[in-house]
Amino acid sequence: MTDDAPGAPGDDVPVADDRSDEPREGTAVPAIRRVAGTGVPLRGDDVDTDQILPARFLKAVTFDDMGEYAFYDQRRDEDGELNDHPFNEYRGANVLAVNDNFGCGSSREHAPQGLMRWGVEAIVGESFAEIFQDNCKSLGIPTLAVDHEDAVALQDFIEEHPDAGIEVDVREETVRYSGETVEGEVPDAMREALLEGIWDTTAVMRTNLDRAKAVHDELPYTDD
């Protein structure tokens, strides 16, 4: 990484994270309008979930350490020493820039859990596996699909200016950096869930237990 001043090439983009609005009434889940920060470029098509989170780590009983296991094998050389993988070089970044068919393979939710716990808060790429994308939604991680040329240009920019500010706007479905605004697409269901603060369905249900119980008690087929 270079010693560029944070946000210098794109100083109109805030570097500090501003991803969440206040939780909507009746839920503890914050609405996510945008993610602002710095980027990590990860090149290559068809990066599957076994590369993101190797299968041998699925035996863990919690997700707590999944960030340590993200790209565990690819981040190490034959001697087990850390190499120049982007997840070693761009520590502290939170906007992941990828290519085509990211998150393909098995449906393991450990993969986005690992990315999130490493620090990823938004992903910009050419396309995403559907189940992986839905798992990201459940964690509040927006995925923005952009054209091939735009994905590569963003990766190039991050490599040249690793400390520059990048903003992913969920409402506008754009990524903005260095005066450039690139249009993309956030899936409708994800966009609605993030903007409405209903992406964490477990938390929404937990904060509305009284209402759920009231509905339960009114249903004729739930009598004991």
Side-chain angles (χ1 to χ4, degrees):
M1 299 178 70
T2 69
D3 294 326
D4 292 351
D11 54 11
D12 57 334
V13 178
V15 175
D17 181 28
D18 184 22
R19 69 190 249 111
S20 302
D21 296 327
E22 292 297 319
R24 65 178 294 184
E25 184 177 355
T27 175
V29 182
I32 298 176
R33 184 177 65 82
R34 66 172 185 160
V35 176
T38 59
V40 49
L42 184 70
R43 297 184 188 269
D45 296 338
D46 304 316
V47 175
D48 62 36
T49 52
D50 194 51
Q51 296 177 59
I52 299 171
L53 207 301
R56 65 185 182 278
F57 297 118
L58 304 187
K59 62 184 179 182
V61 296
T62 72
F63 293 124
D64 293 348
D65 296 325
M66 289 297 138
E68 176 184 345
Y69 306 141
F71 292 105
Y72 189 91
D73 294 332
Q74 296 190 356
R75 292 166 61 189
R76 288 161 172 80
D77 60 24
E78 295 180 354
D79 298 322
E81 299 297 324
L82 294 179
N83 55 27
D84 60 355
H85 188 276
F87 270 47
N88 294 329
E89 297 293 304
Y90 291 80
R91 280 286 187 180
N94 62 336
V95 178
L96 178 59
V98 299
N99 295 112
D100 188 50
N101 199 28
F102 187 77
C104 58
S106 73
S107 60
R108 67 188 66 166
E109 59 183 317
H110 298 68
Q113 283 279 353
L115 296 178
M116 179 186 72
R117 293 172 188 276
W118 181 86
V120 172
E121 295 180 336
I123 310 177
V124 179
E126 298 173 46
S127 68
F128 305 90
E130 184 175 355
I131 296 178
F132 172 84
Q133 203 166 34
D134 191 61
N135 285 334
C136 285
K137 174 178 68 91
S138 298
L139 297 176
I141 302 173
T143 60
L144 178 72
V146 299
D147 291 340
H148 169 75
E149 293 79 8
D150 293 327
V152 173
L154 176 59
Q155 292 170 328
D156 291 344
F157 174 79
I158 295 170
E159 290 177 348
E160 294 172 5
H161 311 288
D163 297 316
I166 299 171
E167 178 187 276
V168 177
D169 192 309
V170 177
R171 187 184 305 278
E172 300 298 328
E173 298 180 275
T174 61
V175 57
R176 189 162 63 95
Y177 63 95
S178 190
E180 297 287 335
T181 298
V182 177
E183 295 184 357
E185 181 178 358
V186 177
D188 290 342
M190 170 182 283
R191 184 170 179 268
E192 178 182 3
L194 294 174
L195 294 177
E196 293 295 322
I198 55 174
W199 49 271
D200 187 339
T201 54
T202 301
V204 171
M205 186 179 302
R206 186 181 297 117
T207 57
N208 289 276
L209 286 179
D210 291 342
R211 293 173 61 188
K213 185 178 185 304
V215 173
H216 172 276
D217 292 343
E218 291 175 0
L219 296 175
Y221 50 82
T222 59
D223 292 340
D224 295 332

